Amino acid sequence: MEFDLIARHFTRATPGAVLGVGDDCALVSPTPGKQLAITTDLLIEGRHFMPQDGPAGLGHKTAAVNLSDLAAMGATPRWATLQIALPATNDAWLAAYARGLFRMLDAHGCELVGGDTTRADVLTFGLTVFGEIEPGCALTRGGAKPGDDVWVSGLIGSAALALAYRQGRLFMEQIHAAKVLPALYLPTPRVELGQALVGLASAAIDVSDGLCADLGHILTRSGVGADLDFAAIPVHEIAHDYLHEPAAIEAILAGGDDYELCFTAPAQQRTAIEAAAQSLGVRVSRIGATRDTPGLVVRNAHGEAIPLARTGYDHFAA
Amino acid sequence: MEFDLIARHFTRATPGAVLGVGDDCALVSPTPGKQLAITTDLLIEGRHFMPQDGPAGLGHKTAAVNLSDLAAMGATPRWATLQIALPATNDAWLAAYARGLFRMLDAHGCELVGGDTTRADVLTFGLTVFGEIEPGCALTRGGAKPGDDVWVSGLIGSAALALAYRQGRLFMEQIHAAKVLPALYLPTPRVELGQALVGLASAAIDVSDGLCADLGHILTRSGVGADLDFAAIPVHEIAHDYLHEPAAIEAILAGGDDYELCFTAPAQQRTAIEAAAQSLGVRVSRIGATRDTPGLVVRNAHGEAIPLARTGYDHFAA
């Protein structure tokens, strides 16, 4: 029964909302003078996750991929609404899903205030999250200037290496696969780093579709180009064993699902960015620079351009 | 290609937003001092609509069912975000869907500011809408007092009669079916009526799961019961030809999808409510009254209680 289901697993006290789950709408009081950042993502079985994927991890990922979009704007998470379409009710499964979801939302002070539950043949989750930010402070994709540094947080390509292994596109030792699989299943949204980059970064995006594709959005929106140094891109130590494989290079440059931040900033912000990242315990790496001519080139150790035939995940590719 | 698709059909000027479709998040500036009402609904092929249903009507319905939730709170629509999961891109289909969606959103001053598009095997739409309302003014489900009138807007049961006909559960003359089918495919959210009821109604809900089920939520939340007079429930004139059929009675009392408002109000507000409805050109009808003892009874013309075995749509019924 829909209402029991919602009450049992997804209704909790919402001290930060006027009215939580259970009425026609949720009601919240936005902080006067702040802007509201809104983002939404659908996760669908068979496309974004597999039937055998565990529920707590799915709950974690549902929250993480959306919080990552707030991170890329520098916004502070406040509220969320959840849509669930599921073939049948399974109490233990939903309890674990809710546990994973709430753990990630709670870690970022984000309250679940409403949603919609329905029956459907394909398990589908949709989360919409709401964050707040001071007017004029949001990190958009359009602010990069020629000569800015290009940065990324964390490690790039781990999630895509794990996916390539899982899908049989990349041979990998199991002990290595086990080290990158967490990046695919339990991504860490860089919410605090995003907030710390307000006033320092000129543009930001989260790496969900692939490093080149996502950086490409910044470049297009900002009207600049960029040169990257492949060797400067931070990858998991196990990745070095596979860099002779085109599938591994592709995972790093064009794989998605890392949910790290890619951002640009003027060179004079280097010290401040490194200090901010260090205080948060998050690794940040400079991987190249923007230029005033369009295009994106990634050079290998010999200074040669790496072919970027497939630079990102196209949701509607054949 | 995802980004082309979004740009072509769903990106328009958003003068009421700081930042619309195309960045990590949409950015809006909530009106200082107002509360934000948030609601979301998923529409899934095979469950909420059929493969043969036309795209413009689906766009209309996606917007209407969500705006109806804002109506039930008395909130003023401001912004919306759209999720689409679709098996393949079909330009003409999406153009028509967008036309239906925007026509309904535009009619209520609601701007599409963001969303998510992905590929999936089952066509799925999710809309989240945002409305504003003065603090303390929202029409919740919990404010009904014993002795309040129970009201509904428009006609009740038309959508469910059409669905029963379409599903072969109710014999109906085609000329009659044609008269109630618009209620199923092109529901009218009572947004202006909801706003006009602020300060007049004590509780409100929209009729999406069925009259008795939805009124039941008001009764449970408010800690009251109610008696309804079946003959006072406004039905389409063609419905009278089918009232000897249990399926027709069930459609009226337990059918959903009308998206009319069901609300309660003190008797002293009768004149004000009728005047407000008349000025908006919306029919409103008093169909019963609440009482301090729990329960819901609907009486026929002989004063006998009509059995309410199945009083509403249970999303997880077998």
Side-chain angles (χ1 to χ4, degrees), chain A residues 9 20 22 24-25 31 41 59 67 84 86 103 112 118 141 160 167 173 183 186 262 276 290 313 317:
Chain A
H9 297 297
D24 296 293
C25 297
T31 308
D41 268 303
L67 290 168
I84 308 181
L86 70 173
R103 194 182 296 140
L112 187 69
T118 190
R141 299 176 179 179
Q167 293 180 339
E173 297 298 333
L186 297 173
C262 176
T290 58
Y313 180 56

Side-chain angles (χ1 to χ4, degrees), chain A residues 159-226:
Chain A
L161 287 167
L163 189 65
Y165 165 75
R166 183 168 154 163
Q167 293 180 339
R169 291 184 283 110
L170 180 66
F171 158 85
M172 199 185 294
E173 297 298 333
Q174 288 181 321
I175 189 74
H176 288 167
K179 290 186 177 177
V180 287
L181 279 164
L184 182 60
Y185 296 122
L186 297 173
T188 303
R190 301 300 186 184
V191 176
E192 289 75 20
L193 179 65
Q195 293 171 41
L197 291 174
V198 169
L200 301 177
S202 52
I205 194 168
D206 68 324
V207 181
S208 56
D209 289 342
L211 178 62
C212 288
D214 289 317
L215 175 57
H217 294 312
I218 288 183
L219 302 180
T220 304
R221 285 251 164 179
S222 301
V224 297

